[in-house]
Amino acid sequence: MTADQLLSFIVIGAMMVFFVWGRFRYDIIACSALMLSVAVGIVPFDRAFDGFSDDIVIIVASALIVSAGVARSGIVDAAIQRFLPDLQSVRAQLALLVVTVTVMSAFIKNIGALAIMIPVAFQFARRSKVQPSVFLMPMAFGSLIGGLMTQVGTSPNVVVSRMRAELTGESFSMFDFTPVGASLALAGCVFLLFAYRLVPERKSQEVSVNQVIEITDYTAEAVAAPGSPAIGKPVSNLVRIGDGGAVVIAIFRRGTHLAPLPDVVIETDDILLLEGGPAALDRIVSQAKLKIAGDRLPMPGDKTRAEIEAIEVVIGSNSPLIGMSAERLALFNNHNVNLLAVSRQGERLKQRLGSIRLQAGDIVVLQGARSELPSFLQDFGCLPLAQREILLGTIRRGTLPLMLLAAAMATTAVGLVPVPIAFFAAALAMVIFRVIPLRDVYRAVDGPILVMLAALIPVSDSLRTTGGSDLIAGWLGGIATHLPPAGALALILIAAMAVTPFLNNAATVLVMAPIAASFAATLGYRPDAFLMAVAIGAGSDFLTPIGHQCNTLVMGPGGYRFSDYPRLGLPLSIVIILATVPLLMWFWPLR
C-alpha cells in the first residue's frame, strides 16, 4: 500500500465517521474533507472543484426545480382528490408510492420517476399528519430497486451489458435482467412496507421562521363562478378537497345568508365564506376553480401579471386601516391591492370579506404587484410576517409541468439527449414558462446538498486515482479463490455494494466487472451470474445519501441525517444479498 492510498483510506474513513456522528452539518464535513484531501496531496489543486461541474450536481439541482414545479402546479392535489380520495392509511399510501416509483423506474430514469412522485408524498404526508420523511427514503430505495428490472432502468445495467459484449461477444438484452430484478423488486417492496418505521420521522433540515408560523383560521371569500366543478355538488365535497384544513362557514345566495350544512348543494354565483389555513384554502379555490373575492389581476398578456404575489402582514397599532373595510377603502381601485383573507385571534369572522372592519393585530393576506406592495405596507402601517410561500390567488400552469417532465424522461429514454441536459432544459423551461417564479427558483434548489455532492466527488475519486480501488480488487481476488461458488458470488455482490458509495455506480461496474469475469474464469464458471451480481450491487446503494442521486434528492426534503440511511438501508441490503445469490444461481447457472 502506497502512502497516497493510505491517506485516501484515512480521509474517507474519517469523513464517514463525522457523517455518522452528525455533530456538524454534512456540507461542512464534505468541504473539510475536500480541503484535507488537497492539503495531503491526494486531490490535485486543479481538480479540487471539478465536482461543481459534475453531471450529478446538475441532475439533482434540476430535478429539485422540476419537482417543485410539479408540486406548485396543483395538479398533484387534483389527481389525489380525483383518484385517491379515501386513501388515508399511511401504509396504503406508502405502498402506492413505493410500488409506483419502483415500476416506473424499470422503464424511465429512476430520478425522473422519483421527482414526479415526491410532490405526491408531501400531499399524503399532510393528509396523514406525518412527516414526509416517512415516505421519501423508502421511495428512493424503491426507485433504485426498480432500476434493476430492465437494461435501461439504471446505468450499471447498461454498462455491464456493454462489458459483457466486450468479454463474451454478446450483450445482455433488454429483459435479461427482469427475472432476477423483478423478484428483488417484489422482495424489496414488501420489506419496505413493513420496515419503514426503522427510520425516525425527521423534519426538513431547512426549517425556518416562516415554517414555524401556523395560522389556520384565515377567513376568505370565493365565488362559484360558471364552469366551476363545485356547482351541483354538496358543501361536504369542498371540505373533502381541503383535507379537513378548511371549512365553509357561510353561504350567500342572491342576498340570502344560508347555513353551510354538509348536504347544501352549491349553485352558480354562490358566495362562499371559507375558513382555514392558506394551503387548504388554496387547494379548495384552485381545484374547485372558484374565483377568490378581490382577485382582480391585469390581463393575461400584461407583463406585470407574473410579478403579482401574496404576502401575510399584521395590522400595526397605528395603522390607518384600523376601523376601515376593504370596500370603504376601495383597496384595489385606489391602491392596486387585493384583500384575500383575514385572521383575527380568538374570533370567527362571518361577515363578507369586504365589509370586515380591520383591527390592530389582524393578520391579513394581501395581493399586489411586488414592486408596489412595500410602499403600501409602509404607508398603511402593516408589518410583514417572515416571508413564506402563499399560493392563494397565484397563477397556475396546469399540466405544463408534467408535460415538461415527461418530455425530459422521454428524450432520455430513447437516447436523444443525456440525462443532465434533459433535466436542465426542463428546469429552465419551468422558469421561462413561469411555472416557478424566478424568486423561488433558488429556494427550490437545496444548496447544502449540492455543495456536499460537489465537494465529495473529488474526494471519493481519490480512491480510484491513487489506486486504492485496484488494491481492494486484489484483496477480493485473493479471498474469492478460497470460497464456494455461492460465497464467491456473494463476495462480488457485497464488494460492489461497498464500493459504489465512493465511485459512481457506472464506475463501480467498470472497476468490478473485469474482476468478476476473472473470478469466474479462474473458478471455471460462466461469467453471467458474476456480471449480474456486479450490476445489482452497483445499483443497490442503500447505505449512504451520496452514492446515488436518488438518495441525495430526498435528503434535504426529508430532513434525513447521514446515519438514517443505514438504519433502513443495511437490513434492505441484507435482504437483497440473501435473495440475489440463489436467484442468480437459479436463473444464470454457473456451469
Side-chain angles (χ1 to χ4, degrees):
M1 183 184 295
T2 66
D4 283 348
Q5 290 169 347
L6 179 61
L7 288 170
S8 180
F9 286 128
I10 290 174
V11 170
I12 291 175
M15 179 183 70
M16 297 299 291
V17 169
F18 277 96
F19 274 139
V20 174
W21 184 24
R23 177 64 177 81
F24 304 99
R25 204 170 73 176
Y26 43 81
D27 54 330
I28 301 300
I29 297 171
C31 290
S32 300
L34 175 60
M35 290 297 96
L36 180 58
S37 298
V38 172
V40 299
I42 59 175
V43 172
F45 293 137
D46 59 345
R47 303 295 301 274
F49 302 112
D50 283 2
F52 286 89
S53 61
D54 193 273
D55 286 353
I56 293 178
V57 176
I58 302 300
I59 291 171
V60 171
S62 301
L64 286 168
I65 294 174
V66 171
S67 179
V70 173
R72 186 183 179 90
S73 71
I75 196 168
V76 172
D77 290 320
I80 291 174
Q81 290 297 335
R82 180 172 181 179
F83 300 109
L84 303 166
D86 300 318
L87 195 62
Q88 302 291 338
S89 163
V90 171
R91 181 162 291 165
Q93 293 169 345
L94 181 66
L96 175 69
L97 292 168
V98 171
V99 171
T100 301
V101 169
T102 300
V103 174
M104 290 173 61
S105 297
F107 303 100
I108 61 176
K109 290 295 181 183
N110 44 22
I111 194 166
L114 183 60
I116 200 171
M117 294 302 291
I118 283 178
V120 183
F122 275 88
Q123 302 304 330
F124 280 159
R126 187 194 65 249
R127 175 185 291 186
S128 301
K129 296 181 173 55
V130 298
Q131 293 297 327
S133 60
V134 171
F135 301 121
L136 294 180
M137 188 183 293
M139 288 168 60
F141 290 171
S143 72
L144 299 185
I145 298 170
L148 304 177
M149 290 194 281
T150 63
Q151 186 185 44
V152 299
T154 186
S155 298
N157 290 2
V158 176
V159 177
V160 84
S161 296
R162 188 186 70 196
M163 297 202 70
R164 184 185 188 239
E166 294 174 358
L167 294 169
T168 68
E170 185 180 357
S171 173
F172 287 121
S173 68
M174 176 72 170
F175 295 106
D176 279 346
F177 299 87
T178 304
V180 175
S183 301
L184 294 177
L186 178 61
C189 288
V190 171
F191 171 82
L192 291 171
L193 294 183
F194 288 95
Y196 69 94
R197 295 183 184 277
L198 292 174
V199 180
E201 287 192 41
R202 301 288 192 195
K203 293 184 179 179
S204 172
Q205 296 176 6
E206 297 301 314
V207 173
S208 57
V209 174
N210 59 47
Q211 292 170 291
V212 176
I213 301 169
E214 187 65 26
I215 301 171
T216 59
D217 59 350
Y218 274 121
T219 299
E221 184 179 308
V223 179
S228 168
I231 295 172
K233 296 181 180 178
V235 168
S236 58
N237 188 64
L238 283 182
V239 177
R240 191 179 304 115
I241 292 175
D243 281 340
V247 294
V248 180
I249 58 176
I251 300 174
F252 298 93
R253 178 178 298 166
R254 294 182 292 275
T256 303
H257 184 181
L258 303 179
L261 300 175
D263 58 349
V264 172
V265 176
I266 297 172
E267 297 182 3
T268 303
D269 294 329
D270 277 358
I271 297 170
L272 308 171
L273 209 59
L274 308 172
E275 182 183 80
L281 292 175
D282 174 63
R283 285 196 300 276
I284 291 176
V285 170
S286 60
Q287 291 181 38
K289 297 182 180 179
L290 304 177
K291 179 175 175 54
I292 192 164
D295 185 7
R296 292 168 289 182
L297 298 174
M299 295 298 292
D302 193 321
K303 65 181 181 179
T304 64
R305 185 175 175 88
E307 302 301 315
I308 297 297
E309 68 176 357
I311 63 170
E312 296 170 290
V313 302
V314 180
I315 306 297
S317 57
N318 297 317
S319 171
L321 295 176
I322 296 174
M324 305 290 285
S325 68
E327 286 179 349
R328 184 175 178 185
L329 282 168
L331 278 180
F332 181 79
N333 293 329
N334 293 334
H335 306 284
N336 202 28
V337 171
N338 297 318
L339 176 66
L340 300 186
V342 179
S343 174
R344 180 173 297 164
Q345 186 175 9
E347 183 177 346
R348 167 168 282 185
L349 303 172
K350 294 186 178 182
Q351 306 161 253
R352 293 282 304 276
L353 192 66
S355 63
I356 295 175
R357 293 184 178 275
L358 300 175
Q359 298 180 6
D362 283 354
I363 300 175
V364 299
V365 177
L366 299 177
Q367 179 196 57
R370 191 186 315 146
S371 58
E372 298 175 2
L373 280 174
S375 59
F376 175 85
L377 300 184
Q378 184 176 14
D379 292 343
F380 285 88
C382 298
L383 308 174
L385 297 180
Q387 188 175 5
R388 60 174 174 168
E389 189 174 48
I390 298 294
L391 295 178
L392 186 64
T394 57
I395 304 165
R396 306 305 175 86
R397 290 290 184 256
T399 59
L400 180 60
L402 280 183
M403 293 170 60
L404 293 173
L405 179 55
M409 295 189 296
T411 52
T412 59
V414 299
L416 189 61
V417 293
V419 175
I421 297 296
F423 273 83
F424 185 83
L428 179 61
M430 293 278 183
V431 178
I432 292 175
F433 292 108
R434 298 173 180 174
V435 173
I436 301 179
L438 192 58
R439 68 184 184 276
D440 293 337
V441 171
Y442 294 101
R443 191 186 304 169
V445 175
D446 196 329
I449 291 291
L450 299 184
V451 170
M452 178 193 72
L453 269 181
L456 283 181
I457 288 168
V459 176
S460 61
D461 194 47
S462 70
L463 199 64
R464 178 186 61 82
T465 57
T466 62
S469 57
D470 295 331
L471 189 65
I472 294 172
W475 292 340
L476 292 175
I479 296 171
T481 56
H482 304 291
L483 294 175
L489 198 58
L491 179 65
I492 289 294
L493 177 64
I494 294 169
M497 282 183 169
V499 171
T500 194
F502 308 106
L503 302 176
N504 67 62
N505 47 24
T508 298
V509 174
L510 293 173
V511 170
M512 295 297 300
I515 299 170
S518 176
F519 285 168
T522 302
L523 299 172
Y525 300 132
R526 297 169 62 182
D528 297 335
F530 289 87
L531 293 175
M532 282 281 184
V534 170
I536 293 170
S540 302
D541 176 25
F542 309 121
L543 300 178
T544 72
I546 60 177
H548 196 281
Q549 57 263 37
C550 287
N551 290 354
T552 309
L553 185 64
V554 301
M555 186 177 185
Y560 298 118
R561 301 173 184 173
F562 198 95
S563 58
D564 289 338
Y565 285 80
R567 291 192 183 194
L568 182 62
L570 182 58
L572 178 58
S573 298
I574 294 171
V575 169
I576 296 297
I577 293 168
L578 294 177
T580 298
V581 173
L583 285 169
L584 285 177
M585 295 180 72
W586 175 264
F587 288 106
W588 298 94
L590 299 183
R591 294 188 187 277

